[in-house]
Amino acid sequence: MEFKNLSLTQDGRVGIIAINRPKALNALNTKVLLELDAVLDELEKNPEVYVIVLTGEGKAFVAGADIEEMKDMTPDEARKFAELGSRVFKKLEIINKPVIAAVNGYALGGGCELAMACDIIIAGEQAKFGQPETGLGITPGFGGTQRLPRIVGTKRAKEIIFTGEIIGAEEAYRIGLVNKVVPPNTSFQAAIEMAKKIASKGQIAVRNAKAAINRGIETDIDGGVAIENQLFALCFANTDQKEGMTAFIEKRKADFKN
Ligand code: CO8
């Protein structure tokens, strides 16, 4: 598929999605969401891509859902828009490859929600995060009221959402919203480096670990451990496990094929 609002490129085993509406600070409208939906399908099926990096062109990661498009929506249209975004973000969250968000600027509203649906967030020092929706007379609509408290706890999430406060990268790191803060304009490079490190590991193991964490966190500890046991056992059904352990015994670097 040809994309107009984002680009898809590849660096080795890393698939790179860059949302490309810089004049509107990469605001998410229906077209962007549909392209994101399609690009994720493409990446999920592409056996050459092991890890995905998601970023935004220009000075913003994503400054939110498109206010222009939402302004005159009826409640029914707003629900459909919220459901579209939520479905695409869920696809991103559960896609069978790790996704790293490289956030160099604004990640606000739907942009913060998009970053939170990724597995890992790397922020440049000048990155800004927040859920300013209450200032627009709406609640977050792409999962912010659900993912933010799961990541930073209900007290901090309520404060951020109720006040609409915008926080910097260091504060986002302090509360556990981002994994790493790097110097300005280096988040993309740092994300690629981390992606390549992940791509050098056994990919069945990486994917099973992602599924175990995502599925387990939504259940109790016994259910979660049962999910882990199953996915752990499945690792023994492919050659990566044999290669990884044989390489250890033979004191050489593993050469994973999957
Ligand atoms: N939607 C549409 N256009 C936007 C958005 C946006 N979210 N953000 C920025 N833009 C546009 C601006 O209108 C402007 O366009 P133009 O040049 O044509 O005037 C251009 O991008 C550049 O923006 P600014 O001139 O404002 O740039 P500044 O550097 O001065 O300010 C800010 C940057 C602080 C990021 C500012 O643009 C801003 O506050 N943006 C809005 C942030 C926001 O409120 N985001 C939340 C949106 S709501 C949301 O995401 C809800 C998600 C769930 C939806 C569920 C649907 C029902």
Side-chain angles (χ1 to χ4, degrees), residues 23-25 27 59 63-68 70 78 81-82 106 108-110 113 132-133 136 138 141-142:
K23 281 190 188 143
L25 302 187
K59 71 173 181 179
D66 193 313
I67 299 169
E68 183 91 33
M70 287 186 294
F81 188 56
Y106 295 110
L108 303 179
E113 292 168 307
E133 286 91 341
L136 297 165
I138 58 172
F142 294 157

Side-chain angles (χ1 to χ4, degrees), residues 10-222:
Q10 206 173 318
D11 178 353
R13 298 292 191 189
V14 185
I16 301 159
I17 307 170
I19 299 179
N20 192 8
R21 277 191 87 203
K23 281 190 188 143
L25 302 187
N26 299 322
L28 301 171
N29 59 16
T30 301
K31 285 182 185 156
V32 178
L33 290 170
L34 290 173
E35 289 192 12
L36 201 48
D37 191 31
V39 82
L40 291 173
D41 286 341
E42 211 170 299
L43 285 168
E44 178 148 50
K45 279 185 268 166
N46 185 344
E48 303 299 320
V49 170
Y50 290 179
V51 184
I52 298 166
V53 168
L54 174 63
T55 193
E57 292 289 353
K59 71 173 181 179
F61 175 69
V62 166
D66 193 313
I67 299 169
E68 183 91 33
E69 183 173 337
M70 287 186 294
K71 190 170 74 66
D72 296 320
M73 281 180 181
T74 64
D76 197 45
E77 287 165 343
R79 182 182 48 76
K80 286 188 181 130
F81 188 56
E83 284 171 359
L84 168 65
S86 299
R87 180 176 63 74
V88 175
F89 287 17
K90 185 70 188 174
K91 185 177 279 188
L92 179 66
E93 186 172 64
I94 64 170
I95 192 168
N96 68 351
K97 313 179 177 190
V99 185
I100 304 174
V103 179
N104 230 15
Y106 295 110
L108 303 179
C112 188
E113 292 168 307
L114 180 65
M116 287 192 289
C118 298
D119 297 302
I120 289 167
I121 303 177
I122 298 184
E125 271 167 24
Q126 78 280 38
K128 302 252 184 273
F129 296 83
Q131 298 289 159
E133 286 91 341
T134 55
L136 297 165
I138 58 172
T139 67
F142 294 157
T145 62
Q146 302 308 306
R147 288 197 179 90
L148 189 59
R150 282 169 167 79
I151 296 168
V152 305
T154 52
K155 293 283 181 285
R156 201 67 180 97
K158 284 176 180 170
E159 185 185 341
I160 289 170
I161 291 172
F162 297 172
T163 65
E165 122 192 68
I166 307 297
I167 59 171
E170 286 297 345
E171 175 65 358
Y173 176 73
R174 194 185 68 76
I175 64 174
L177 178 57
V178 309
N179 295 67
K180 205 180 210 186
V181 181
V182 295
N185 304 317
T186 63
S187 62
F188 178 68
Q189 208 39 52
I192 294 288
E193 272 166 36
M194 188 186 281
K196 287 187 173 172
K197 185 173 185 179
I198 296 170
S200 73
K201 307 293 177 187
Q203 293 309 297
I204 304 263
V206 170
R207 289 168 196 184
N208 285 1
K210 171 169 174 168
I213 295 167
N214 278 357
R215 286 161 54 193
I217 205 79
E218 299 303 337
T219 181
D220 60 39
I221 184 86
D222 295 335

Side-chain angles (χ1 to χ4, degrees), residues 242-244 246-255:
K242 304 282 178 288
E243 169 58 15
T246 305
F248 175 80
I249 304 287
E250 292 176 356
K251 300 191 187 307
R252 61 174 173 82
K253 198 170 176 295
D255 179 18

